[in-house]
């Protein structure tokens, strides 16, 4: 995991272990296709496609991670947002300046992507 | 971890400066295993491997960073304004800040005991700060609570990218909405 003081280069490939889908006792995949990734609207799809162009390898790994284990934390990279009004929402830091925010739907095994694109504009800290 | 190194300073072996001069190899061999103390007159010197010293310094820096955040979180909990560098704390309400305090303190405790790495402490702090920046920006509020829902499958990057011209890939140009599935 990159440290806070070590900014991730946008093109840097994530070194993620991609988990295998869960299996039954007989060894059959419970969810052979993993989780279904759903974009909330066209704006999300456009943001995602842009992100795929900018950092394709990272986007592929993010896609695989969310399909296989969207609520498995990667410290500092894939985590549940802390702000209480976003309860149940997760962040995936695809690159140093790219983010994906999503929630899961357990019942239908869907990952609903609310946002995919550049890091939200940061307020100037300290105030100038 | 670093704590063990610090403990080791109190279970070391003592050599005089004269012994160091005469048997430098032996003293360094001991220093490879654990910290040793070199005494000269009334002064005592610790001789440790550089990597141990670096780890101790890094631990101190990480501890200082975490304690600075905790102190400012305490300030914010009491209703006062934190230092500008921690202004992101102000997005959180009191109960959020108390949870932050607990999480960071737990992470510090685990790192100090050697149960986890200090990187985990930084990750926890990073996640709280990132969450604050998202909240401050309003993009997720807009997406979750105000934008229309027209759900459709998220394109698989492999399938999406294979239809692109190499020049588009290289340029990383913005995609028209019609490229969606």
């Amino acid at each position: 995991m990159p440290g806070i003081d070590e900014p991730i280069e946008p093109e840097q490939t994530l070194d993620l272990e991609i988990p295998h889908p869960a299996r039954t006792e007989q060894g059959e995949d419970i969810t052979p296709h993993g989780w279904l990734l759903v974009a909330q609207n066209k704006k999300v799809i456009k943001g995602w496609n842009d992100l795929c162009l900018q950092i394709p390898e990272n986007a592929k790994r993010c896609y695989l991670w969310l399909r296989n284990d969207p609520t498995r934390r990667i410290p500092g990279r894939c985590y549940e947002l802390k702000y209480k009004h976003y309860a149940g929402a997760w962040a995936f830091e695809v690159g140093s300046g790219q983010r994906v925010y999503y929630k899961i739907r357990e019942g239908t095994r869907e990952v609903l992507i609310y946002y995919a694109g550049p890091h939200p504009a940061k307020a100037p800290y300290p105030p100038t | 971890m670093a704590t063990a190194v610090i403990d080791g300073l109190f279970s070391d072996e003592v050599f005089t400066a004269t012994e160091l001069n005469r048997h430098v190899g032996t003293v360094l061999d001991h220093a490879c295993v654990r910290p040793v103390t070199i005494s000269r007159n009334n002064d005592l010197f610790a001789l440790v491997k550089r990597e141990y010293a670096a780890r101790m310094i890094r631990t101190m820096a990480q501890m200082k960073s975490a304690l600075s955040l905790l102190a400012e979180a305490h300030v914010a909990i009491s209703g006062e304004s934190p230092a500008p560098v921690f202004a992101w704390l102000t997005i959180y309400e009191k109960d959020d800040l108390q949870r932050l305090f607990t999480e960071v303190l737990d992470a510090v405790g685990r790192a100090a005991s050697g149960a986890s790495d200090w990187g985990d402490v930084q990750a926890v702090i990073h996640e709280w700060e990132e969450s604050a920046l998202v909240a401050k920006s309003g993009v997720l509020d807009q997406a979750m609570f105000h934008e229309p829902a027209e759900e459709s499958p998220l394109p698989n990057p492999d399938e999406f990218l294979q239809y692109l011209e190499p020049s588009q890939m290289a340029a990383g140009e913005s995609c028209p909405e019609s490229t969606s599935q």
Side-chain angles (χ1 to χ4, degrees):
Chain A
M1 185 218 65
I4 302 252
D5 54 346
E6 298 168 7
I8 310 160
E9 292 301 320
E11 287 77 25
Q12 181 181 339
T13 300
L14 302 180
D15 184 18
L16 301 182
E17 175 195 351
I18 306 299
H20 294 291
R23 293 175 186 274
T24 65
E25 289 181 3
Q26 289 74 36
E28 297 169 344
D29 288 343
I30 293 173
T31 54
H33 303 296
W35 291 71
L36 177 64
L37 306 192
V38 178
Q40 194 201 17
N41 52 38
K42 289 180 179 176
K43 185 177 172 184
V44 173
I45 290 185
K46 182 181 182 306
W48 172 252
N49 287 347
D50 286 345
L51 201 149
C52 289
L53 282 174
Q54 293 161 7
I55 43 173
E57 290 306 314
N58 285 16
K60 288 175 190 174
R61 286 171 179 269
C62 171
Y63 187 85
L64 283 174
W65 189 269
L66 298 188
R67 268 181 67 88
N68 287 304
D69 213 346
T71 54
R72 181 171 159 195
R73 179 174 177 253
I74 311 169
R77 175 74 75 179
C78 179
Y79 49 85
E80 189 169 9
L81 290 171
K82 308 292 188 180
Y83 191 50
K84 68 182 172 190
H85 297 302
Y86 301 151
W90 282 66
F92 194 106
E93 302 191 2
V94 190
S96 62
Q98 293 84 7
R99 300 290 184 268
V100 166
Y101 301 118
Y102 61 95
K103 269 189 174 183
I104 63 162
R105 290 169 171 163
E106 284 280 1
T108 52
R109 288 189 69 81
E110 289 177 339
V111 177
L112 178 59
I113 315 287
Y114 284 103
Y115 178 87
H119 188 294
K122 296 182 180 182
Y125 292 128
T128 53
Chain B
M1 303 288 305
T3 306
V5 174
I6 293 168
D7 290 344
L9 286 175
F10 301 99
S11 59
D12 57 357
E13 298 176 70
V14 181
F15 295 89
T16 63
T18 305
E19 287 171 322
L20 176 64
N21 275 335
R22 291 179 180 170
H23 310 289
V24 64
T26 304
V27 174
L28 290 178
D29 285 345
H30 281 81
C32 278
V33 179
R34 64 174 67 87
V36 301
T37 295
I38 309 297
S39 67
R40 188 186 65 176
N41 301 327
N42 293 324
D43 293 323
L44 297 174
F45 303 87
L47 181 62
V48 298
K49 291 184 77 174
R50 195 180 192 286
E51 64 197 54
Y52 287 175
R55 197 183 304 160
M56 287 170 63
I57 290 168
R58 181 167 181 261
T59 296
M60 295 299 286
Q62 301 274 18
M63 184 81 84
K64 186 179 175 186
S65 164
L67 289 178
S68 297
L69 171 66
L70 290 174
E72 293 301 325
H74 188 70
V75 167
I77 288 172
S78 66
E80 296 174 34
S81 296
V85 72
F86 293 109
W88 54 269
L89 288 168
T90 57
I91 197 76
Y92 291 117
E93 295 172 21
K94 193 172 178 179
D95 54 344
D96 276 330
L97 290 168
Q98 284 167 336
R99 200 156 55 88
L100 176 153
F101 203 92
T102 303
E103 282 189 23
V104 174
L105 204 55
D106 284 349
V108 168
R110 286 195 303 274
S113 70
S116 68
D117 187 73
W118 282 96
D120 291 344
V121 178
Q122 291 304 312
V124 170
I125 295 172
H126 173 71
E127 291 170 13
W128 276 94
E129 183 174 6
E130 277 285 320
S131 299
L133 293 175
V134 181
K136 188 96 176 173
S137 73
V139 295
L140 197 49
D141 284 281
Q142 180 70 19
M144 289 173 70
F145 308 121
H146 302 296
E147 289 181 353
E150 306 164 45
E151 297 180 11
S152 57
L154 192 78
N156 181 325
D158 285 326
E159 295 169 7
F160 167 67
L161 292 169
Q162 73 179 356
Y163 295 113
L164 292 176
E165 296 290 334
S167 58
Q168 283 181 284
M169 287 280 292
E173 60 194 45
S174 182
C175 304
E177 290 189 8
S178 59
T179 55
S180 63
Q181 286 185 344

